[in-house]
Each structure stands twice: as structure tokens, then as C-alpha cells.
Amino acid sequence: MTNTRAEAAYRRSIAAFKNPTLDLLHGRYAPFVVAVLSTIFTADRAVVAVADAHAEIDELIDELHEAGDAAYERGMPTGTARDMCRYWVKVGWLGYQIENDIEVYRLTAHAVGALEIAGRASGGRTRVTKSRIRTLIDAIGALSDDAETDPAARLAKLQAQRNQIENQIAQLSAGQVTPPDDEQLLEEAENIVHLARELPADFARVAESIKAMQRDVVTDLRQDIRPTGEVLREYLQRGQDVMESTAEGRAFAGALALIGDPEQIDRLTGQLHALLVQPFTAVMDPGQRAELAAIARRIEQGVWDVLETQRQASHVITTQVRTHDPVRDRQIDDLLRTVMSGLQAWMQVSRPGERAEPVRSFPVADVGHLRRSLSELAPTDAPEPLQDATDVEFLDAESTAWGGPNYPRLESYVRGLGQTFDVAEAFEGADDTDRRPVDLLGLLEIAHHNGMTEQEEVSTVEALRPDGSRRRFAFGAVNARTTKEDDVN
């Protein structure tokens, strides 16, 4: 059975109404959603903090309740502003992100498109005007000129344009100035506002395309299916395609060329301010005047949003490439799956309202005995117990003489010096075997341990090394106790 034209058209219509843009406008609470989003988000306020958005939406809800209109009550969803925003994020009307450590909401391209459609439908006249036809003709003419490959034909068009410009110059030089028609100026201003309304949606689509590429790249890197270089090359190619092969990308490229020249954007701002003081703009409603004045800011904000999104995507991808560790990522994935499995098992046996005991600390691994040699496969045994042996080799007297201080002998010597003693005098009066340089250090340690008093004089002593050589030392005079004060008490 083949599909008829009606069936194919109906299927396309069903698919179109599944789009979040038409879903927003087709829903039961569409007037309320459009009113709230258009009030919270303006041309000068593309990003709103989450806390501020919730507070302002609650305030709008209270104002509608106080109005006492039954139609308002029926057209408003139930729940708090937080619940509404969460639902709008879920269905794709609001974007949630963090900027400068602050949680913010941003309209998605679908929401911008829906608000643009609603604003165009409620903005008054949508006529076939001279300005719109001229815009179309100029666009077709520019396309025809770009597509023309015959040099003679292009030269003839340029000469005709030059003749037209020269005629206009001659008329102005002769003082022949035709005053503009206010109605025609108003039509052209409305056409400009109509064209400007489409820019935010185009910018939002470019930013969302970059975010989608970022998610795809990070996913490919995390899954470790393809080499990192191949993934990055595909990302760069897709980024180039977005800027060149799509309508949104071309709109962004044109705006970027415009904003890249500060004189051009300043000239645009000055022209808009000059238009707003013309008499014909007094006929425009305040909303149209505000949109006309905000065109330059819309372009700047849209370009900034796209560039900031591109910068964030590059930062995220660069960080992911630098820290990419397939083994660690797989371990984290396995850990998360284990946690989810454990949570599902716990949910089957837990009671309603039962609290899950959190893990307050990680278990400590019992390392045990670490193997010191990888070549020995047999487990390491404890060392053999020490045996009493008669063939133990002890150090000779010469080796002992070059060792450290003999503390027991020095302490016994000090105890026979009375209540206090001078370290230098005690060292000079000791036996030759206890007058080594290290024994002087030992006496100073004993003096410090028992309690000592430093004097202003400088003491000098002569030490005797085991090989018979002598060495003189100088240090601050020290008077020390022979025993520790605590031991005496």
C-alpha cells in the first residue's frame, strides 16, 4: 500500500507539531508561557539567574491571581515557579547552565522562535508592503549579480548603477529633494523590526549546534571508540560546516563580520538613534520602538553568546583531551553501574520512607606484607629465629675507638664531679680515651639533658683523636648540673 499525498502531508504535520516550538504554542497553557517568557527575557536580558527567575515568575502569578479574572485562572498551570521552570527545561523551552558560578536560565532556539511567531502574530499589520518587496527584489538582484559569470553583463549592470547614482547626485546638487513619505518610512521600519526578530533564534540555533557538537565529542572521547585525533578532526570539520553550510551559520558569519568593525557597529547605533527621533516613529507602538532601538544590542548579544559557547566548548574539549584516561573512565563507569545496581537492589527490600545510610568514609585497604621481589613467586616466609652462636665476630678496639660517644662512661664520670661542673674543665680532666671530639659532643648533650647555664666567656679545649692527632675547639662556656633536677627532688 502506497502513501497518498494527504497521508504524507499529515505525517509531516504530525512531525512538525512534535517540535518544541509548535508544542509551546499549541499547549493548553501557551498564552501563560509566552507571556511569562516574554516578560522575563528581553533583548537586554538574555540570561536570568535561576533564583531571580523563580521570584519574578511567582510575582507574575500573584498579579494574575489578584486580577480575579476566571480566564486567567483557567489558563494558568498549577505548581510553583520552580516546578514550572523545571518542566520548561525538560521539554526544551529553557536552557539551564552555570555562568560565573551562578545558575542561570536561557531561552532555547525553540522558545525564541515561538516568541517570535507570537510577537509577529500580535504585532499588528503583516502586509505586503513596498519595503518587503524591495527587500526581496534586492536580495534576488544581489544573488543574480553574484551568480553572473559574463564579464560584459556584470559591467553593464555596474554602469547602470553608476548612471543612477550620478543622476541622484545631480538632483541633490540642484536642490531637488523629494521629501520622504512617512507611511513608506513606517513600512520600512516595520520590515526592519520583522527581520531583526529572526536574529535571536538564529544565534540560539548556532549556539545549540556548538553545544550538541561538544556533547558528541565528549561522548566519543569517553566511549573510547575512535582515536582522539580522529574525533577532534571531525569536531573541527563540523564546526566549519556549521559556519558555512547552514543558514544559522551564515547569519552568524555576517553578524561577526559586522561586529568585527567597531566603526560599523557604532555607525549602526547612531543611525538607529537618529531614526528614533524622526516624526514617523511616533506612530509606532512602544514595543516596536523598543525593538528598533535594541537591534544593535541584539546583534552584539547574539554574537557574544555564540563566541562564549564556542569558547566553553573548546575549554571543555581541551580539558577532556588532557585528562582523558580510558582505564579510569571505565573504572568510573563500572563504579556507577555498581552503585545503580546496589540502589535498585536496596529499593526492592527497603520500606517507604526508609533512609539509606550514607558512606561516611572509604574502607581502609589491608595491605599486609608487600612483596619486595617480583622474581620470587613463592610467598615470603618469616626470617629464621636467631641462634646463640659462639662464632659471632665483634668489632675490635680500634673500630670502637672511632665510634660515637661512650655515654655510660661519660655519665659515670660526670656524677663524680660534684653538684655542678664546667664542661671545658671536665673535658680537660677526663682520660685520654674519653677526650675525643665526639666525647665533647656527648658531654654537651649530657649538660643539656641535666640542665645547663651558658656563660659569656668562651672556652677552648683540646681533643685527642684515636690516631694521636689533636684538634682544638672553642665554644661558649657552659656550667652544667651533674644530675637532672627532677632526679634530685
Side-chain angles (χ1 to χ4, degrees), residues 128 130 249 255 279 342 378 386 404 412 421 434 460:
V128 180
K130 178 181 177 181
L386 296 177
S412 176
F421 67 96
D434 295 331
T460 58

Side-chain angles (χ1 to χ4, degrees), residues 63-76:
E63 292 178 0
L64 293 177
H65 284 309
E66 292 175 359
D69 193 327
Y72 296 165
E73 298 292 340
R74 291 193 300 270
M76 293 171 54

Side-chain angles (χ1 to χ4, degrees), residues 162-178:
R162 184 183 64 182
N163 295 334
Q164 184 179 4
I165 292 174
E166 290 178 349
N167 292 333
Q168 293 178 359
I169 293 175
Q171 292 178 1
L172 292 175
S173 300
Q176 301 177 4
V177 180
T178 303

Side-chain angles (χ1 to χ4, degrees), residues 116-301:
E116 190 271 332
I117 293 173
R120 187 167 61 243
S122 61
R125 297 168 291 182
T126 57
R127 302 169 298 175
V128 180
T129 61
K130 178 181 177 181
S131 60
R132 295 187 182 181
I133 296 298
R134 187 176 64 184
T135 301
L136 179 61
I137 292 175
D138 291 344
I140 295 175
L143 178 61
S144 176
D145 293 342
D146 293 339
E148 182 62 60
T149 57
D150 186 4
R154 299 191 68 173
L155 181 62
K157 291 182 180 180
L158 291 175
Q159 290 176 346
Q161 293 177 2
R162 184 183 64 182
N163 295 334
Q164 184 179 4
I165 292 174
E166 290 178 349
N167 292 333
Q168 293 178 359
I169 293 175
Q171 292 178 1
L172 292 175
S173 300
Q176 301 177 4
V177 180
T178 303
D181 184 10
D182 289 346
E183 184 68 20
Q184 178 62 30
L185 295 176
L186 180 61
E187 290 178 359
E188 294 181 0
E190 291 177 347
N191 184 40
I192 292 174
V193 172
H194 170 74
L195 295 176
R197 287 174 178 171
E198 299 177 357
L199 288 176
D202 293 338
F203 288 134
R205 291 189 185 96
V206 176
E208 291 177 2
S209 300
I210 295 175
K211 291 180 181 178
M213 286 191 295
Q214 170 195 327
R215 290 192 295 267
D216 294 342
V217 171
V218 173
T219 301
D220 291 342
L221 291 175
R222 289 290 305 274
Q223 292 178 351
D224 200 33
I225 298 176
R226 296 180 297 166
T228 302
E230 180 181 345
V231 175
L232 294 180
R233 283 194 298 271
E234 180 180 350
Y235 165 70
L236 295 176
Q237 183 62 39
R238 291 178 61 183
Q240 184 178 4
D241 293 341
V242 168
M243 299 306 172
E244 296 181 358
S245 62
T246 64
E248 296 83 6
R250 288 191 295 271
F252 172 72
L256 184 60
L258 177 63
I259 203 69
D261 185 4
E263 296 181 358
Q264 179 67 21
I265 195 63
D266 292 340
R267 190 181 306 113
L268 176 62
T269 304
Q271 292 172 348
L272 292 173
H273 290 167
L275 287 174
L276 291 173
V277 299
Q278 296 295 326
F280 75 91
T281 58
V283 185
M284 302 175 66
D285 59 71
Q288 290 180 330
R289 287 174 56 86
E291 291 185 17
L292 185 63
I295 289 178
R297 291 194 300 273
R298 279 186 172 181
I299 295 176
E300 288 182 309
Q301 183 65 37

Side-chain angles (χ1 to χ4, degrees), residues 298-332:
R298 279 186 172 181
I299 295 176
E300 288 182 309
Q301 183 65 37
V303 171
W304 186 88
D305 292 340
V306 174
L307 294 178
E308 180 65 16
T309 302
Q310 193 171 25
R311 185 193 66 80
Q312 293 178 355
S314 300
H315 175 71
V316 170
I317 294 173
T318 302
T319 304
Q320 180 67 24
V321 170
R322 288 178 178 176
T323 61
H324 178 54
D325 187 350
V327 176
R328 184 192 61 185
D329 292 342
R330 283 194 291 268
Q331 291 176 347
I332 294 176

